[in-house]
């Protein structure tokens, strides 16, 4: 089956209050278990804040290193899930469940090949 990347877009700013974050974590744990049971879950992970990012850019024979995210924005990639899905419709259904669990926007994109 093809793999799909479910990207979690997180707004810049403080993390949710502990009670809200605990509910999101519980929902996300339940969804990850549902994906595992269905045989769709491949890998998932949360990311540290964008301030921890390092960007590498090729410039001729050199590689420039800069701190921070690649682009400035009001949202950043906060985490991701990779799923096995029969088709885009199945991947979108996992994305719908993920956006409900996290309360955040989810981008669904197929891997090439």
């Amino acid at each position: 089956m093809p793999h799909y990347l479910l990207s979690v877009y997180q707004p810049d700013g403080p993390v949710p209050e502990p009670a809200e974050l605990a509910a999101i974590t519980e929902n996300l744990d339940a969804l990850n278990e549902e994906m595992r049971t269905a045989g769709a879950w491949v890998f998932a992970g949360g990311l540290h804040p964008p301030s921890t990012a390092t960007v590498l850019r090729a410039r001729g024979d050199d590689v420039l290193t800069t701190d921070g995210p690649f682009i400035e924005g009001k949202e950043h990639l906060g985490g991701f899930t990779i799923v096995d899905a029969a088709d885009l419709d199945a991947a979108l259904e996992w994305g719908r469940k993920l956006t409900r669990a996290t309360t955040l926007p989810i981008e669904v994109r197929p891997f090439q090949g």
Side-chain angles (χ1 to χ4, degrees):
M1 281 195 284
H3 288 139
Y4 290 84
L5 174 66
L6 310 180
S7 301
V8 179
Y9 290 114
Q10 184 172 330
D12 289 340
V15 297
E17 295 295 320
E20 184 181 354
L21 191 57
I24 291 169
T25 300
E26 185 177 317
N27 291 339
L28 191 53
D29 288 345
L31 178 57
N32 284 336
E33 185 55 36
E34 181 182 348
M35 288 181 186
R36 284 184 187 97
T37 300
W41 191 88
V42 175
F43 182 81
L47 300 172
H48 285 282
S51 61
T52 65
T54 303
V55 178
L56 305 172
R57 289 183 177 88
R59 292 287 190 253
D61 291 337
D62 293 330
V63 175
L64 302 178
T65 303
T66 56
D67 293 334
F70 179 69
I71 58 172
E72 294 293 325
K74 295 181 181 181
E75 293 180 325
H76 59 272
L77 183 63
F80 61 90
T81 300
I82 298 172
V83 295
D84 267 329
D87 53 29
L88 178 60
D89 289 335
L92 289 172
E93 185 56 33
W94 288 121
R96 286 182 191 93
K97 291 180 180 192
L98 186 56
T99 197
R100 287 187 201 110
T102 63
T103 70
L104 296 170
I106 304 299
E107 177 185 318
V108 177
R109 189 184 298 191
F111 281 88
Q112 292 183 4

